[in-house]
């Protein structure tokens, strides 16, 4: 395999990776890597496979993303989201490759009430957040200079389980939904996130950490109401009559979530000159993709 625009796609079977494959087009030769054949927690295997492939870029879409499951399996989550990322960084440094790593709003504690900038102090309040922050730190500790850490939030898109699909399923089964209204963030469409990834690579932007989410902000309750509204406009069969707001305390889960995790995306916009779509607009595009039959339930 040649060095010319070869992309090692880690976690290649997931929802985000499917959007990466579509966005890459003919410009990149993709090497798909995922379990069970490829295990990024295996340092020796990771270095061997990547050294042989000699990619120009590595995009890491692999993660232990079961936020509540991480609470009882923090060791495993840290191996995948922390140690494994370090192995990729070591390989990238040895190869002179660029590493793109997708991180999360969960590295913050959610105590702010203004959008989080890249330099704001982290302080994860869940095992998932701690494991993802460990991955960011592993990149910094590796000495790798050619990296993009891209923090994103509330990710959904084609070819995967996500909040939008969950709401559509429940709205087709129940007359009333109770959705958490005291957690505020920004939904992000995978298609927009992957476009941003390739924009940073194409522009040869300054390496470092970037925040990316769709523009605007909402609570999970407001997101669910918009999903139901657009689903009705799209003619999807719905049983739901009422979407009501509830509190985090009304719906206890093992992992704590940030109450506020809206991102300041100015750094990305200034680096690329690209505007970011509003979250409602991107949700509308998702429904158009669904209408074309390209999104499975």
């Amino acid at each position: 395999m040649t060095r010319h625009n070869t992309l090692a796609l880690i976690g290649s079977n997931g929802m985000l990776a499917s959007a990466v494959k579509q966005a890459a087009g003919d410009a990149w030769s993709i090497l798909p890597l995922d379990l069970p054949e490829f295990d990024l927690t295996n340092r020796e295997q990771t270095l061997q496979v990547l050294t042989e492939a000699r990619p120009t870029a590595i995009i890491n879409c692999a993660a232990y993303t079961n936020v509540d499951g991480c609470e009882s399996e923090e060791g495993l989550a840290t191996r995948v989201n922390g140690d494994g990322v370090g192995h990729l960084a070591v390989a990238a440094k040895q190869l002179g490759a660029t590493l793109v790593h997708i991180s999360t709003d969960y590295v913050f504690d959610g105590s702010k009430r203004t959008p989080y900038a890249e330099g704001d102090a982290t302080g994860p309040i869940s095992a998932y957040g701690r494991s993802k922050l460990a991955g960011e730190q592993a990149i910094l500790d590796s000495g790798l200079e050619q990296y993009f850490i891209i923090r994103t939030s509330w990710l959904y898109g084609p070819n995967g389980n996500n909040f939008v699909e969950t709401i559509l399923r429940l709205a087709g089964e129940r007359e009333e939904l109770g959705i958490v209204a005291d957690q505020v963030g920004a939904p992000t469409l995978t298609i927009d996130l992957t476009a941003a990834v390739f924009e940073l690579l194409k522009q040869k932007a300054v390496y470092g950490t970037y925040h990316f989410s769709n523009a605007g902000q909402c609570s999970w309750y407001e997101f669910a109401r918009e999903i139901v509204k657009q689903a009705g406009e799209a003619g999807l069969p719905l049983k739901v009559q009422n979407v009501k707001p509830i509190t985090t305390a009304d719906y206890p889960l093992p992992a704590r979530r940030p109450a506020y995790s809206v991102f300041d995306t100015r750094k990305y916009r200034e680096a690329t000159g690209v505007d970011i779509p509003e979250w409602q607009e991107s949700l509308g595009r998702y429904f158009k993709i669904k209408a074309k039959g390209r999104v499975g339930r």
Side-chain angles (χ1 to χ4, degrees):
M1 197 172 282
T2 66
R3 286 282 281 162
H4 180 66
N5 279 356
T6 302
L7 170 62
L9 181 57
I10 316 299
S12 58
N13 295 330
M15 177 180 72
L16 180 58
S18 73
V20 171
K21 292 172 191 172
Q22 190 170 354
D26 297 330
W28 294 85
S29 173
I30 293 181
L31 172 66
L33 297 170
D34 208 335
L35 292 169
E37 294 83 10
F38 178 86
D39 180 359
L40 84 165
T41 67
N42 183 329
R43 178 186 173 94
E44 185 177 322
Q45 183 197 36
T46 299
L47 293 178
Q48 180 182 344
V49 170
L50 292 175
T51 299
E52 289 176 359
R54 297 187 59 75
T56 44
I58 302 166
I59 297 181
N60 182 32
C61 298
Y64 187 133
T65 57
N66 181 340
V67 173
D68 293 312
C70 287
E71 293 297 313
S72 57
E73 293 191 301
E74 185 163 2
L76 174 59
T78 302
R79 286 196 298 277
V80 176
N81 297 340
D83 301 342
V85 177
H87 302 158
L88 297 177
V90 169
K93 185 180 180 185
Q94 291 179 359
L95 293 165
T98 298
L99 173 63
V100 179
H101 173 62
I102 308 302
S103 193
T104 175
D105 55 325
Y106 279 60
V107 300
F108 296 108
D109 65 10
S111 61
K112 278 189 77 176
R113 285 297 175 268
T114 54
Y116 279 95
E118 289 81 357
D120 284 339
T122 54
I125 55 176
S126 67
Y128 173 69
R130 289 190 293 273
S131 70
K132 291 294 287 186
L133 185 59
E136 293 187 14
Q137 191 61 48
I139 293 173
L140 302 180
D141 291 345
S142 73
L144 176 67
E145 295 180 356
Q146 296 175 211
Y147 72 86
F148 294 109
I149 295 170
I150 305 176
R151 295 178 181 142
T152 193
S153 61
W154 298 21
L155 202 59
Y156 71 97
N159 305 310
N161 296 320
N162 57 68
F163 183 77
V164 178
E165 293 302 317
T166 298
I167 293 299
L168 290 176
R169 176 176 57 78
L170 295 175
E173 298 170 353
R174 304 179 188 176
E175 292 188 354
E176 183 173 88
L177 302 180
I179 308 296
V180 171
D182 56 359
Q183 294 172 22
V184 175
T188 308
L189 180 63
T190 54
I191 295 165
D192 293 337
L193 175 59
T194 52
V197 167
F198 285 107
E199 199 65 48
L200 287 169
L201 287 170
K202 182 179 74 176
Q203 299 261 8
K204 293 183 169 52
V206 176
Y207 294 117
T209 300
Y210 288 82
H211 287 174
F212 185 91
S213 61
N214 280 127
Q217 66 180 54
C218 62
S219 66
W220 289 111
Y221 162 72
E222 290 167 328
F223 190 18
R225 280 179 58 97
E226 185 68 19
I227 292 165
V228 170
K229 172 178 170 282
Q230 293 201 22
E233 292 169 352
L236 297 180
L238 301 175
K239 187 176 181 180
V240 69
Q241 300 295 316
N242 182 37
V243 181
K244 67 174 185 178
I246 63 173
T247 67
T248 298
D250 292 329
Y251 191 66
L253 292 167
R256 292 175 63 198
R257 270 75 169 167
Y260 180 91
S261 59
V262 179
F263 281 146
D264 181 340
T265 59
R266 190 178 324 157
K267 181 179 175 182
Y268 167 80
R269 288 182 283 112
E270 289 179 352
T272 62
V274 175
D275 288 330
I276 302 174
E278 295 283 334
W279 69 267
Q280 298 96 327
E281 176 193 333
S282 292
L283 181 63
R285 281 190 287 123
Y286 181 74
F287 275 106
K288 286 177 182 171
I289 294 168
K290 282 183 69 66
K292 292 177 181 175
R294 294 208 302 265
V295 179
R297 293 276 297 269

